[in-house]
Amino acid sequence: MQLADRIIVVTGAGRGNGRAISERLAEEGATVLVSDRNAEAAVAVTESIRASGGSAEAVTADVTNEDDIIRLFDRARELGGPHAVVAQAGISHNTPLHETTLEAWNQHIAVDVTGTFLTVREAVRSMLPLGGGSIVTMSGTYAFQSEPGAELHSASKGAILSFTRGVAVEYGNRGIRCNTIVPGYVATEMVEEFYAKLPPEASDRINKWHALGRIATPQEVANLALFLCSDQSSFSTGSPFFVDGGLTAGFNSWQIPGA
Ligand SMILES: NC(=O)c1ccc[n+]([C@@H]2O[C@H](COP(=O)([O-])OP(=O)(O)OC[C@H]3O[C@@H](n4cnc5c(N)ncnc54)[C@H](O)[C@@H]3O)[C@@H](O)[C@H]2O)c1
């Protein structure tokens, strides 16, 4: 058990990557504060973890709401933590820039960027008196590459990557590490909803973007989160960690006619 006695906060934990991460951390002995704006989803994940013999508690919190996030970390402190935090709540957006409204921009930045800021700030405030901890944020390959309609998504994931580096530099000498996960496409509900708007052949093309010929499972992302939350990653900070099946290693060959 790599995480026995650790208290770990996961945001956006009601489904998808956050759910898989919460389940994996609990398997390794952590008590997970399963946080999501969707109360029912957070409770369902918590019950599933407990049914498997793990330890978890549901906390309803919207990452854009400062009071919610302070309350979430009050609870983590009551339990003696947090020893690690996975700030990964996010939403998707796919509209050409000239059709993107200010409202859509503000909503996306509020969840992805401001939500990461609030969560990580409270994580740091809680970890300083503990003498350290591990913070994990959620970037994405769109921080490095983009495609038509993904300007807003690239902007938010790029901001998270740069923010992560800044946190690592400021707090490394006080024992706080901060790294970011960079997934390619992952088979979560978010991606299922995205595929539903595309022609049926789109998923095959997206599979081919990845050198491994498929997209990730949420459990593969969760394994990386486990590494970053645990002492196994003790000398890693300020880094992007790719779990992208080779997506960023090459050109997207489907863009070549006939390929
Ligand atoms: N799925 C992918 O292909 C992929 C790839 C790269 C990065 N990511 C990132 O991984 C993270 C999770 O993605 P996913 O695919 O699991 O998404 P998802 O939509 O399946 O799940 C997201 C969860 O976050 C919650 N959430 C949304 N807004 C919230 C808010 N304001 N406050 C609290 N909770 C909120 C939702 O209720 C949901 O439970 C996101 O940051 C996403 O950008 C996903």
Side-chain angles (χ1 to χ4, degrees), residues 88 90 112 138-140 142-143 152-162:
Q88 74 95 55
D112 279 36
M138 186 63 81
S139 184
Y142 283 90
L152 179 41
H153 197 56
S154 287
S156 72
K157 291 306 185 189
I160 290 169
L161 169 64
S162 298

Side-chain angles (χ1 to χ4, degrees), residues 59-71:
V59 181
T60 307
D62 185 322
V63 293
T64 66
N65 183 311
E66 186 174 27
D67 291 342
D68 280 6
I69 297 304
I70 289 172
R71 188 172 39 79

Side-chain angles (χ1 to χ4, degrees), residues 23-259:
E23 290 171 345
R24 188 71 188 95
L25 300 177
E27 271 173 23
E28 288 296 331
T31 293
V32 181
L33 290 189
V34 175
S35 184
D36 202 283
R37 69 178 169 187
N38 180 333
E40 278 178 26
V43 168
V45 173
T46 300
E47 285 174 356
S48 159
I49 288 173
R50 289 180 181 164
S52 306
S55 175
E57 195 173 304
V59 181
T60 307
D62 185 322
V63 293
T64 66
N65 183 311
E66 186 174 27
D67 291 342
D68 280 6
I69 297 304
I70 289 172
R71 188 172 39 79
L72 169 63
F73 280 88
D74 282 346
R75 183 60 190 141
R77 283 190 291 270
E78 278 170 15
L79 295 172
H83 303 100
V85 171
V86 184
Q88 74 95 55
I91 55 176
S92 74
H93 178 86
N94 198 280
T95 310
L97 180 62
H98 66 278
E99 293 172 10
T100 299
T101 62
L102 178 60
E103 189 188 12
W105 170 272
N106 284 339
Q107 189 199 9
H108 198 85
I109 295 298
V111 178
D112 279 36
V113 184
T114 308
T116 299
F117 154 68
L118 287 172
T119 307
V120 172
R121 186 192 67 184
E122 292 312 306
V124 167
R125 286 176 172 174
S126 305
M127 287 173 175
L128 284 172
L130 297 177
S134 174
I135 300 171
V136 182
T137 62
M138 186 63 81
S139 184
T141 50
Y142 283 90
F144 298 86
Q145 296 175 313
S146 200
E147 63 176 335
E151 294 93 343
L152 179 41
H153 197 56
S154 287
S156 72
K157 291 306 185 189
I160 290 169
L161 169 64
S162 298
F163 176 69
T164 299
R165 289 178 164 142
V167 173
V169 167
E170 180 152 12
Y171 295 104
N173 63 2
R174 281 170 274 185
I176 298 174
R177 300 186 293 109
C178 188
N179 294 288
T180 197
I181 296 178
V182 185
Y185 278 72
V186 190
T188 66
E189 290 87 340
M190 178 191 276
V191 165
E192 276 170 26
E193 289 162 9
F194 176 59
Y195 281 175
K197 297 179 206 154
L198 301 175
E201 65 273 19
S203 62
D204 282 344
R205 286 186 170 187
I206 289 172
N207 283 340
K208 285 184 192 163
W209 291 358
H210 300 72
L212 295 180
R214 63 173 178 87
I215 66 174
T217 65
Q219 289 72 29
E220 288 171 315
V221 175
N223 284 333
L224 177 54
L226 167 61
F227 171 73
L228 293 174
C229 287
S230 78
D231 298 339
Q232 297 293 319
S233 58
S234 55
F235 200 59
S236 296
T237 197
S239 294
F241 280 79
F242 288 78
V243 52
D244 76 345
L247 174 62
T248 52
F251 294 107
N252 295 330
S253 59
W254 69 267
Q255 292 175 336
I256 301 168

